[in-house]
Amino acid sequence: MEALSKTRHSVQKLNAAMVGTLLDHGVNACNISPGVSLPGMRAYGSSTNNKTNQGSDAAMDLLCESINQALDAGLLPVIHGDACLLDDNHAGILGGDTLVEGLVSSEKMKDNVHKVIFISDIAGVFTSDPKINKDARLIRSLKVDVTTGEVTIDNNDDDDNVANEMDVSGSSHAHDVTGGLNAKLCSAVTAVQCGKEVVIAKCCSTSAEKYIQGDSSSAEEGTLISKKL
């Protein structure tokens, strides 16, 4: 439990820094911490028995209610990946990707979640790992079959050199225990199945800024993930 305490302290400091920056820019932001603050919230990889699932679902409902209450009050809620209980005796990581799946799947959030933007250390999904292969090509559009969850590359563009495969290993790190880019893509599938549009963009990039501002058409990088028609 020492690791849980130290990890929670670390992520809460990072969250406080984010909230502080938003406040400096005139945004009425507030921190909502999802970990052990919410009874029953479980970490990535926790057991899947019915009792645990019911408790985790109830905790996610409480989180959604807190977020909606903040939004109704004119506040910008800032939540974060956290450390919480894996079971009654062990701790684990509740990643942001897991939180996204819970939020987009919640009936309580259907009116307040319209788009999901994942910020990564690479510009989107590539044909191969761009950190290893300099010829890796950025895939600008992916389509999701909402029935099967199958993800395919959208090659409806003017590029004759179309991509036919993708690699989601490029944003994986030794310290990331919640799945890296692959986990983001899995969460993206859930979001699209719930009727949301998803973008994966690079942190601190001009394109990421444009996506956040709602100006997708002028973003020069990033991968858009949407429903296959």
Side-chain angles (χ1 to χ4, degrees):
M1 292 301 162
E2 178 183 358
L4 182 147
S5 299
K6 290 183 176 179
T7 301
R8 290 211 78 219
H9 179 61
S10 178
V11 297
Q12 286 174 326
K13 285 198 299 183
L14 179 60
N15 183 266
M18 174 65 73
V19 171
T21 299
L22 290 168
L23 290 172
D24 289 342
H25 286 78
V27 179
N28 294 324
C30 67
N31 163 52
I32 297 179
S33 187
V36 293
S37 306
L38 296 172
M41 187 67 81
R42 295 298 183 182
Y44 175 87
S46 60
S47 61
T48 56
N49 61 68
N50 288 335
K51 183 178 180 181
T52 298
N53 282 344
Q54 290 170 2
S56 188
D57 289 345
M60 185 59 70
D61 283 344
L62 287 174
L63 177 61
C64 293
E65 289 175 10
S66 296
I67 292 172
N68 285 332
Q69 185 176 30
L71 290 170
D72 290 342
L75 298 169
L76 175 67
V78 183
I79 64 175
H80 56 85
D82 210 346
C84 63
L85 296 173
L86 187 64
D87 52 42
D88 292 337
N89 299 304
H90 301 87
I93 298 298
L94 175 65
D97 306 327
T98 304
L99 287 170
V100 165
E101 288 195 58
L103 294 176
V104 300
S105 302
S106 172
E107 186 69 18
K108 295 179 181 294
M109 295 300 297
K110 66 178 183 179
D111 294 328
N112 283 328
V113 178
H114 306 289
K115 179 181 288 187
V116 176
I117 302 174
F118 288 107
I119 302 299
S120 182
D121 62 340
I122 56 176
V125 179
F126 284 78
T127 53
S128 60
D129 187 344
K131 297 177 181 177
I132 299 174
N133 181 8
K134 64 181 179 62
D135 295 322
R137 296 178 58 241
L138 176 64
I139 300 169
R140 295 305 308 276
S141 177
L142 293 173
K143 295 295 184 181
V144 176
D145 185 316
V146 295
T147 302
T148 65
E150 180 184 11
V151 180
T152 55
I153 298 172
D154 179 16
N155 280 317
N156 292 328
D157 53 36
D158 296 327
D159 187 356
D160 292 332
N161 186 24
V162 294
N164 55 21
E165 61 182 21
M166 57 184 162
D167 186 331
V168 294
S169 64
S171 183
S172 183
H173 300 278
H175 63 263
D176 187 348
V177 298
T178 58
L181 186 59
N182 185 57
K184 288 179 174 58
L185 189 57
C186 291
S187 297
V189 169
T190 300
V192 172
Q193 289 175 320
C194 293
K196 318 302 178 185
E197 189 176 81
V198 181
V199 169
I200 299 177
K202 186 173 183 177
C203 179
C204 299
S205 67
T206 301
S207 293
E209 183 177 348
K210 290 183 180 297
Y211 284 124
I212 292 171
Q213 293 172 342
D215 184 13
S216 301
S217 60
S218 61
E220 297 180 354
E221 294 183 325
T223 300
L224 177 66
I225 306 172
S226 56
K227 179 174 66 174
K228 183 177 181 179
L229 300 178

